[in-house]
Structures are given as structure tokens and as C-alpha cells.
Amino acid sequence: MGKLSKLRAWINRDDGRFYRVGNASIGPLSLIGGLLIAVALILSQLHRHAALHVAWPIAVGIIGVALLFVGGYRDDRRDDI
């Protein structure tokens, strides 16, 4: 067993001392929020060439961050443990 495998096994043990670390499904709001943040970064680079107002990438980024936070809050699985 490699060092990283041992570390992951130690982190994922379920003895109640630590919060369980593992993979969780990503909800649709989190996914859309992450994609909107990526779109905002692209728009921020293209707004001069595409004659977009600077408010568009800012607005898309704010909406993306808000959806990411709301989606992360809704995807919280602490009550399943």
C-alpha cells in the first residue's frame, strides 16, 4: 500500500473522530455555477474584442458564484452520517 493510499484510508476511517472525507455527487446548481464562473472568465478576456460592456462578465461571475454557494449548501450531506 502506497503512502497516499494509507493517507486516504486513514482520512476515510469512520471512527467518529473526524468528519468523513470522500466523494460526493455534484448537484446541478453547483455545476451550473462553476460553468458560469468559467464563462465569466472567458467573457472578461473577450469583452474588448466582442464590444461587450464590462458589466456582462461581472454579472455572469456574480451569478455563478451565487449559484455555486447555493448549490454547495443544498448539496451538503452532513445529515446522512
Side-chain angles (χ1 to χ4, degrees):
M1 196 185 242
K3 290 187 179 195
L4 292 178
S5 298
K6 288 181 183 179
L7 179 64
R8 183 175 177 162
W10 178 75
I11 290 173
N12 283 331
R13 71 184 187 278
D14 194 12
D15 61 358
R17 284 187 16 186
F18 298 108
Y19 181 73
R20 187 168 179 215
V21 176
N23 297 329
S25 62
I26 298 174
L29 288 177
S30 298
L31 184 64
I32 293 170
L35 290 174
L36 282 178
I37 291 172
V39 168
L41 289 173
I42 293 169
L43 285 177
S44 71
Q45 297 299 312
L46 295 177
H47 78 86
R48 290 182 185 168
H49 303 292
L52 290 174
H53 193 271
V54 73
W56 281 104
I58 293 172
V60 171
I62 289 172
I63 292 170
V65 168
L67 284 177
L68 192 65
F69 284 151
V70 170
Y73 178 73
R74 291 187 67 199
D75 294 341
D76 194 11
R77 304 285 187 230
R78 289 187 193 156
D79 56 350
D80 292 343
I81 293 177

